[in-house]
Amino acid sequence: MGKAIGIDLGTTNSVVAFKDVSVRTIQTGANNEDLCRSCVAMDKNGNFIVGNSVFNAWKRHVPNIVVSAKRLMGASINDSNVQKMKADKQAYPFGIQKLSSGTEDAVAILLHGKEFTPEQISAEILRALKNDASTKLGDVEYAVITVPAYFNEKQKSATKKAAKLAGLKVLQLLAEPTAAALSYGFDNLKPDEDKTLLIYDFGGGTFDLSILTAAGGQFVETGAGGDRWLGGDDIDIILSDYIKGQIESQNNLDLQDLLSQKTDKEVKEFTAGLKADVENAKKTLSQSTSATIFVSQYLEDEDGEPIDDIVVSRDTFEALIRPLIERTIDLIEELLAKTSISADDISNILLVGGSSCIPLVKRMLVEKYGEEKILSSEKPMLAIAHGAAILAASMDTSKWKDDDDDDDFDENAAPSDGPIVYTAKHNYLIQLQRNGRKELDKLIEDQTPLPYSINRQFSTTVNDQKIVEVCLFNDAEDGTYEKITSGFFNINENLPAGSKLNFTFNLDEDETLRVKVKVVQTGKISRVVLGRGNQDSSCLSEISSSIEDVMNDDSISDNKKATFMSKIQNIIDVIEKSRLKSEDDKWLELEQQVKTAKQFAIEQDEATVKLGVILATILVKNFRQYVDPADYDQMSTNLKRYESASDKFQRESIKIWKILQTGMVSC
């Protein structure tokens, strides 16, 4: 049986570890390093290459090089922070766009003109870690993979998807702060001893906070916070901007103007050189009082003279980044207030992540909370992977089950008796239709121990309702709510409005949602297949939008609507019975069937279309004064489209008759 490893899949760096007699980091890459840069490039032959050597050869691979893919996992293309990444070509040179084969908000990464999902890019990192671990340990099959405490269901599902693509079986997704507490040894407290821990995880791309209660050999997660867009990358940006300003002020030049006169190769050399120097300076300033940025090695002025090197003092560096550290302390205070826990109640603050090595971080935390509370390991950037390895070693791999193999669940499942009591990190809500309005109703509170099942009863809204859509939401970081998944089930019988539907919602330890529903009057139980962000979500979204478009179109006859709904019911039956995996190509086939059903529904019969064309032509040419201007313009446009349409199908899709009806009423 394959071995189980622990993986910290980080935004900036990733680490793999293993526990047998003791816990050890598995070194990776050609140079056997503890940290594997979470950096993926694609060469001209379409091959992926991963790690530190890729990052160090930044200018060779730009723009086909990806960093911070973790920030895009489960994210929306419409997210303002994703748009900021897209606009910042120096930090994120790869293409970011809407995934052409995905849902409306799905994200694609563009390399050499080809689309990849964030999961596919993350899978390359996981595959590299798995291969390096297998080389040193033998066959590696299983993994505990860490995720930020704030990751929602979509983001966790994306992480599992990446692992599956990499050939790894996920034993557990472990919150990074909990992994840190394991690595610090707080699972070995005395039976009568308890501690309240605050984990301060300041990594390269994210800032993660968690409050844990450690007692009786178990961890109970009692609160989580942080900021997934705050990390060491932001420190790099601040320091980089300062260096650019110093270049301009010390040399009396406009840097952007100077770079505009350079070749693409020279610009790439400057970008790559500055990026490497800034990162090295950040590390140097944690040990020394000053660091040098060797600008002269990669930038010349208009006369071909090297630009002077820039020296940065630790005092300057600390003044630049102090607002970021203050922000992390503000987030601690917000979390304490949210959980009604005082700073005095915190036994220890555990420092985790590479950015926590910066002396100012510890100094400011000591000033705020006292030196006796702050704990820091020799290599805090390895702590999370070590904690994951500890948990992996304690788990029974024979009980592993693929989530896609069986979507059934135990309604009476109790919280795990292992070292961690898992809790929900978000509120979960369902969208209901009440009095013609859509409202959100809370199902599961955050901090609820997992796994957890809840039964709720809702009712049909109209007579003879045939299809029910289940839309589920999370609370988002900005205080709003975001849709995380949806699915459908059929009601084959003709039931009156108000018929009772008994729902069972289950949230497992990885915060994967599953839903079953029972029609009370008939006793039929359906499994609701929920979209997980791939072809499945795209197909389910198409079903939702097509139903809304067809059923709200007054120009479509009742018979056509009934035929359309019957076809959609058949498709939903196939989805429920086929037990498709989220990435199966069958979803694409079903999505096309939905689109075809919609097209046939909106088709107008030829006689109606021709009559509409004749009457519209008469109105447009002879009775313009009797037609509302907006309707006149619409009729004119549609007549032109009709005349230029290349085939019958296109002509019948132009709704002249509907516009004509509006125009006739306006006369």
Side-chain angles (χ1 to χ4, degrees):
M1 185 174 288
K3 293 181 174 62
I5 55 177
I7 295 177
D8 172 12
L9 179 61
T11 305
T12 304
N13 294 294
S14 295
V15 183
V16 57
F18 178 72
K19 181 178 185 281
D20 40 23
V21 178
S22 61
V23 186
R24 65 183 189 274
T25 304
I26 304 300
Q27 295 182 320
T28 63
N31 296 323
N32 286 311
E33 296 169 281
D34 289 343
L35 302 179
C36 171
R37 194 82 191 200
S38 300
C39 181
V40 179
M42 174 180 271
D43 65 20
K44 294 178 181 179
N45 297 318
N47 300 313
F48 285 112
I49 43 181
V50 177
N52 300 334
S53 61
V54 179
F55 184 79
N56 293 335
W58 181 274
K59 66 181 180 182
R60 182 190 310 164
H61 299 293
V62 168
N64 299 295
I65 184 169
V66 183
V67 291
S68 299
K70 182 175 176 178
R71 285 184 161 176
L72 299 173
M73 296 274 277
S76 165
I77 189 66
N78 301 314
D79 188 310
S80 61
N81 289 301
V82 172
Q83 289 299 313
K84 287 178 184 176
M85 286 182 69
K86 182 178 179 180
D88 188 353
K89 287 300 183 183
Q90 286 201 350
Y92 312 105
F94 54 96
I96 299 175
Q97 63 185 38
K98 178 186 173 298
L99 182 66
S100 59
S101 60
T103 57
E104 282 302 309
D105 62 351
V107 176
I109 290 169
L110 201 64
L111 300 175
H112 286 298
K114 186 176 179 182
E115 286 186 345
F116 298 91
T117 64
E119 297 96 300
Q120 288 174 308
I121 299 300
S122 292
E124 294 301 324
I125 299 167
L126 291 171
R127 185 177 289 111
L129 297 175
K130 175 183 183 290
N131 291 342
D132 284 335
S134 294
T135 299
K136 296 174 173 65
L137 301 173
D139 181 37
V140 168
E141 189 175 359
Y142 302 93
V144 170
I145 300 177
T146 61
V147 293
Y150 54 76
F151 256 27
N152 63 22
E153 205 262 5
K154 283 172 66 177
Q155 293 163 316
K156 289 182 177 181
S157 178
T159 303
K160 283 186 175 181
K161 212 171 293 173
K164 193 170 187 177
L165 290 171
L168 283 166
K169 297 176 179 177
V170 178
L171 293 170
Q172 190 71 54
L173 295 180
L174 178 63
E176 292 168 355
T178 308
L182 283 170
S183 73
Y184 271 88
F186 282 96
D187 54 330
N188 297 318
L189 296 177
K190 296 175 183 178
D192 60 345
E193 190 178 8
D194 64 83
K195 298 275 189 182
T196 301
L197 308 172
L198 189 146
I199 291 78
Y200 178 101
D201 182 0
F202 198 5
T206 61
F207 175 63
D208 209 359
L209 286 171
S210 189
I211 297 175
L212 307 179
T213 299
Q218 284 193 323
F219 294 106
V220 180
E221 302 171 351
T222 56
D227 185 342
R228 69 185 176 111
W229 299 96
L230 174 65
D233 291 350
D234 299 284
I235 293 174
D236 291 353
I237 291 169
I238 288 172
L239 186 53
S240 179
D241 287 344
Y242 171 77
I243 300 303
K244 291 175 183 176
Q246 290 299 107
I247 291 173
E248 290 187 329
S249 62
Q250 292 184 20
N251 296 275
N252 193 28
L253 56 80
D254 183 311
L255 183 59
Q256 282 301 112
D257 183 55
L258 178 62
L259 291 175
S260 69
Q261 301 173 39
K262 302 292 184 182
T263 64
D264 286 346
K265 181 180 178 182
E266 289 171 328
V267 172
K268 288 179 182 178
E269 286 177 350
F270 169 75
T271 302
L274 181 61
K275 191 176 188 70
D277 270 4
V278 163
E279 181 145 329
N280 290 333
K282 183 173 64 173
K283 295 174 182 176
T284 300
L285 290 166
S286 294
Q287 308 294 328
S288 305
T289 58
S290 66
T292 301
I293 308 295
F294 297 100
V295 185
S296 60
Q297 296 183 3
Y298 44 78
L299 185 64
E300 296 177 346
D301 63 19
E302 295 176 348
D303 299 324
E305 294 296 322
I307 296 292
D308 292 340
D309 296 334
I310 305 294
V311 177
V312 183
S313 68
R314 180 186 284 187
D315 287 345
T316 297
F317 175 63
E318 291 185 347
L320 289 169
I321 67 169
R322 180 174 286 273
L324 289 186
I325 315 305
E326 289 172 345
R327 167 70 176 147
T328 69
I329 292 174
D330 289 342
L331 289 167
I332 292 175
E333 292 299 304
E334 288 177 16
L335 179 58
L336 293 175
K338 173 185 171 185
T339 55
S340 299
I341 296 173
S342 72
D344 291 339
D345 294 329
I346 300 296
S347 306
N348 293 107
I349 298 176
L350 313 185
L351 303 190
V352 184
S355 298
S356 69
C357 297
I358 296 171
L360 181 64
V361 171
K362 184 173 182 180
R363 197 162 71 245
M364 289 181 68
L365 289 171
V366 166
E367 290 171 1
K368 180 73 175 178
Y369 301 108
E371 188 167 8
E372 71 283 352
K373 287 186 186 291
I374 312 301
L375 294 181
S376 179
S377 66
E378 184 181 347
K379 292 185 177 181
M381 67 287 293
L382 306 180
I384 290 174
H386 285 195
I390 291 168
L391 182 61
S394 72
M395 298 187 74
D396 184 354
T397 57
S398 67
K399 293 182 179 179
W400 179 84
K401 185 179 76 170
D402 188 343
D403 287 339
D404 281 338
D405 288 343
D406 184 7
D407 269 17
D408 205 3
F409 53 84
D410 180 4
E411 297 176 26
N412 301 309
S416 168
D417 59 359
I420 303 163
V421 176
Y422 297 91
T423 59
K425 306 302 184 302
H426 300 269
N427 294 304
Y428 288 82
L429 306 95
I430 185 170
Q431 183 174 272
L432 303 176
Q433 190 87 16
R434 285 178 175 150
N435 301 319
R437 295 188 306 171
K438 292 179 179 179
E439 300 177 1
L440 293 178
D441 192 64
K442 189 178 292 185
L443 296 171
I444 302 173
E445 296 268 1
D446 63 350
Q447 307 310 318
T448 299
L450 302 177
Y452 178 77
S453 287
I454 182 173
N455 296 305
R456 292 286 300 274
Q457 188 173 88
F458 303 113
S459 305
T460 57
T461 56
V462 295
N463 290 329
D464 303 331
Q465 185 169 347
K466 295 302 181 185
I467 296 174
V468 178
E469 182 176 14
V470 180
C471 292
L472 296 163
F473 288 73
N474 262 157
D475 48 338
E477 291 174 74
D478 60 1
T480 61
Y481 297 100
E482 63 177 337
K483 181 179 173 181
I484 53 170
T485 189
S486 65
F488 295 86
F489 68 93
N490 287 326
I491 302 175
N492 295 318
E493 298 76 16
N494 294 326
L495 302 177
S499 296
K500 303 302 182 186
L501 306 172
N502 284 346
F503 287 79
T504 302
F505 302 90
N506 177 266
L507 195 64
D508 71 11
E509 292 172 333
D510 284 340
E511 290 196 82
T512 299
L513 268 167
R514 293 179 175 83
V515 181
K516 288 190 297 191
V517 61
K518 178 180 180 180
V519 180
V520 174
Q521 188 166 329
T522 65
K524 181 187 175 184
I525 296 176
S526 298
R527 177 183 69 103
V528 181
V529 178
L530 299 174
R532 299 300 179 197
N534 273 12
Q535 285 94 324
D536 54 351
S537 290
S538 181
C539 178
L540 294 167
S541 293
E542 184 62 37
I543 291 175
S544 181
S545 62
S546 294
I547 290 175
E548 187 167 351
D549 289 346
V550 171
M551 301 309 290
N552 292 331
D553 192 333
D554 294 337
S555 71
I556 299 175
S557 69
D558 289 343
N559 285 339
K560 282 197 170 186
K561 287 181 178 179
T563 301
F564 166 78
M565 291 297 278
S566 177
K567 291 177 181 177
I568 298 300
Q569 277 191 286
N570 291 337
I571 292 169
I572 293 171
D573 278 337
V574 171
I575 291 170
E576 182 182 345
K577 294 171 184 175
S578 298
R579 295 192 175 271
L580 301 172
K581 300 185 189 305
S582 65
E583 66 276 7
D584 283 351
D585 288 341
K586 178 71 173 177
W587 287 103
L588 302 176
E589 179 186 327
L590 293 171
E591 183 175 348
Q592 186 55 50
Q593 290 179 24
V594 175
K595 292 178 179 178
T596 301
K598 178 180 176 180
Q599 275 305 140
F600 279 115
I602 65 175
E603 257 188 65
Q604 301 170 80
D605 64 86
E606 193 168 2
T608 300
V609 172
K610 287 182 177 178
L611 177 59
V613 169
I614 293 169
L615 292 175
T617 302
I618 293 171
L619 282 171
V620 167
K621 290 185 176 180
N622 301 304
F623 299 101
R624 176 175 181 173
Q625 66 271 29
Y626 299 115
V627 182
D628 182 273
D631 294 328
Y632 175 85
D633 291 341
Q634 188 66 65
M635 277 194 289
S636 298
T637 299
N638 281 352
L639 280 171
K640 291 175 182 177
R641 287 178 56 209
Y642 179 85
E643 291 166 359
S644 62
S646 60
D647 55 43
K648 172 179 176 290
F649 193 77
Q650 282 186 11
R651 289 195 297 273
E652 291 181 352
S653 70
I654 299 169
K655 296 189 178 303
I656 294 177
W657 182 249
K658 184 176 180 182
I659 299 299
L660 179 63
Q661 287 176 312
T662 306
M664 294 284 281
V665 171
S666 301
C667 290

